[in-house]
Amino acid sequence: MTVKLYDPLTYDNLMAGLVMHFEKQAAVRLDSITGIEGPGIYSLFYSGSFHAYEPISSSERPIYVGKAVPPGSRKGSQVDESIPVLQRRIREHSRSIGQVDNLEISDFSCRHLSVVPVWITLAERFLIDHYRPVWNLCLDGFGDHDPGSGRRNSQRSWWDTLHPGRSWAVGLGDSKKPEDAERKVAEFFKMIEQGRI
């Protein structure tokens, strides 16, 4: 008989530990984020009445998961962990949501965790794998930045198609249709319910 030994460092066990610790963090209103220090990970929760998000509204399933890494970390440079990049990134999202026509910032809350920089990307992946957030895996574009004047012929993202209003996205190509974005979201939630993703 082969004994199955517990390994705390498997992907699944590391993910379970991170998720358990992350869920101990209190969720706060997105429009009242202050005093967050350093880099880390975060999740956004939705509690509004936008019909496409009815399956997750007011639930513990985040609508989006993200990360904020300190400057220089992508290149392996020495990083300053005291820079409040996590707070800055969450506030960028607040501004994005505040600009759109069909979402209210008061319908969003946020859970965050400051993390040692070397673990941030893996921690974000753990949360995405665990929660399967719709804005990460189905309706791409929420975390995008202004592509700049050299790429103005870019197409509007699925997120900006369903949630118009971000000033920099207005001038982008609009080959996608809002009703198609809604169908994508509905199919995504159906697949989650059926355990297909």
Side-chain angles (χ1 to χ4, degrees):
M1 179 169 84
T2 304
V3 177
K4 186 167 171 95
L5 301 175
Y6 173 73
D7 182 352
L9 298 181
T10 66
Y11 184 91
D12 288 343
N13 288 334
L14 286 170
M15 179 169 61
L18 182 276
V19 168
M20 184 174 63
H21 187 73
F22 186 73
E23 289 180 347
K24 290 179 182 177
Q25 310 308 306
V28 297
R29 285 176 50 124
L30 186 58
D31 57 3
S32 64
I33 294 291
T34 59
I36 303 173
E37 297 183 3
I41 54 173
Y42 58 92
S43 61
L44 303 182
F45 299 90
Y46 181 68
S47 61
S49 59
F50 190 78
H51 61 281
Y53 305 133
E54 186 178 327
I56 60 166
S57 183
S58 300
S59 77
E60 283 296 309
R61 182 182 294 274
I63 198 166
Y64 183 76
V65 164
K67 69 178 183 293
V69 295
S73 60
R74 288 189 179 108
K75 296 182 178 181
S77 305
Q78 185 69 20
V79 297
D80 182 350
E81 296 173 9
S82 67
I83 299 172
V85 292
L86 185 53
Q87 180 167 291
R88 287 181 192 164
R89 186 66 173 143
I90 293 169
R91 285 186 174 166
E92 284 176 16
H93 292 324
S94 295
R95 285 190 294 275
S96 286
I97 292 168
Q99 289 178 18
V100 303
D101 303 333
N102 52 16
L103 296 174
E104 298 293 331
I105 191 72
S106 60
D107 291 332
F108 287 84
S109 59
C110 176
R111 178 176 285 146
H112 57 85
L113 179 66
S114 297
V115 176
V116 174
V118 71
W119 298 110
I120 292 173
T121 299
L122 184 60
E124 179 195 37
R125 182 174 171 186
F126 285 156
L127 294 182
I128 291 170
D129 282 353
H130 181 75
Y131 293 115
R132 316 306 288 165
V134 64
W135 286 0
N136 292 88
L137 300 178
C138 172
L139 210 60
D140 67 302
F142 173 64
D144 291 354
H145 292 97
D146 184 343
S149 60
R151 295 188 297 171
R152 287 290 180 205
N153 60 349
S154 298
Q155 290 296 305
R156 197 171 297 152
S157 72
W158 280 112
W159 191 88
D160 288 293
T161 299
L162 188 56
H163 302 297
R166 284 200 285 195
S167 56
W168 60 265
V170 171
L172 299 178
D174 62 352
S175 62
K176 300 175 183 81
K177 298 191 175 358
E179 55 270 23
D180 293 334
E182 288 189 38
R183 273 194 291 276
K184 271 177 65 77
V185 170
E187 179 61 24
F188 177 78
F189 285 133
K190 184 177 178 182
M191 289 170 62
I192 284 183
E193 186 179 314
Q194 295 171 346
R196 291 162 48 203
I197 55 172

